[in-house]
Amino acid sequence: MTAIAQLELVRNEKEEALKLLTDKRDMEMEAALKSLFEGPANEIGLIQEGVELEFTESRVSLKVAKEGYFRNPADVRFQKWYGEPMQFEFSGYSTSDVVSAILIGKFAQVAEKVSDKAVETLEGIKNAHKEILVAANNEVRELNRAIRELERAVAAKEKEQTLEKLKSAEGISFDLPEDYWKQPKLTIRFDCEVNNVTNLKVVGQTASGKSLKVEITQKWLDINGNERFNVRKETVRATNVEKFLKEANKYVAA
């Protein structure tokens, strides 16, 4: 197992642990909202046949049955922005239906009654879980950083090895697919691309190092089915060579 694979395994375990911790906190918040809202909602006569409340960790939704499905005419959301205290926001949709309007009004009364306590309770739950969640999240972030650094190091090493192979006397050969449209193309200039590249060598580079002098071998079949070869030398942007190799990697001859 590679070092990257080992780190990814640990990272995945830490991510799963973080998810479980987050789910535990959210379940506590959802249960708290349910406990706070359901009593007053029953007392005021909001909960009845065809009317219910739906809970998440940060939202309470009024659900009203009509014509075979539940509509959502009003919500209470509890939102916390970084560095600011939690706030609640009530939103209700305008309606010409008297029954729905009355239910929205009752829901608003319940929200007004319990909102301060709800904010205090949710803040308390968040604070109780904050330290362990921050620590777990930092572990995941550090593992992701370490994985990215290793991936960059591996990519740089592979790039260096590929360039050395391109500079060798043999260059890199490719077993291209027969289907023309599947063949990777090497961009020579913005207005010129070549395909049928069966071998590529680097024979030099420009003073800036941004472009490579390459020797390109192309192969195709003539009208009689005979193989024909063409060798040409071009100066090509290094990024274009890298792009070509990325696409042609799966066709590198063994």
Side-chain angles (χ1 to χ4, degrees), residues 122-165:
L122 295 182
E123 284 274 33
I125 294 172
K126 276 184 169 289
N127 289 334
H129 289 266
K130 182 177 180 179
E131 185 175 345
I132 191 171
L133 283 174
V134 169
N137 190 63
N138 286 341
E139 286 184 335
V140 171
R141 186 169 61 248
E142 285 303 307
L143 284 165
N144 280 325
R145 180 190 58 78
I147 289 169
R148 288 194 299 270
E149 288 181 356
L150 272 178
E151 287 175 339
R152 284 194 291 266
V154 169
K157 184 65 176 178
E158 289 177 347
K159 181 179 177 180
E160 180 183 346
Q161 291 173 341
T162 299
L163 183 58
E164 288 304 311
K165 191 172 182 181

Side-chain angles (χ1 to χ4, degrees), residues 31-48 51 53 55 60 62 103 105-118:
L33 287 176
K34 187 174 182 180
S35 176
L36 287 167
F37 271 79
E38 282 191 337
N42 282 316
E43 291 173 7
I44 203 173
L46 175 60
I47 306 301
Q48 53 190 271
V51 181
L53 296 181
F55 299 90
V60 183
L62 176 65
L103 292 171
K106 288 184 176 183
F107 182 54
Q109 290 179 48
V110 174
E112 181 67 24
K113 181 177 180 179
V114 305
S115 60
D116 289 344
K117 182 63 175 177

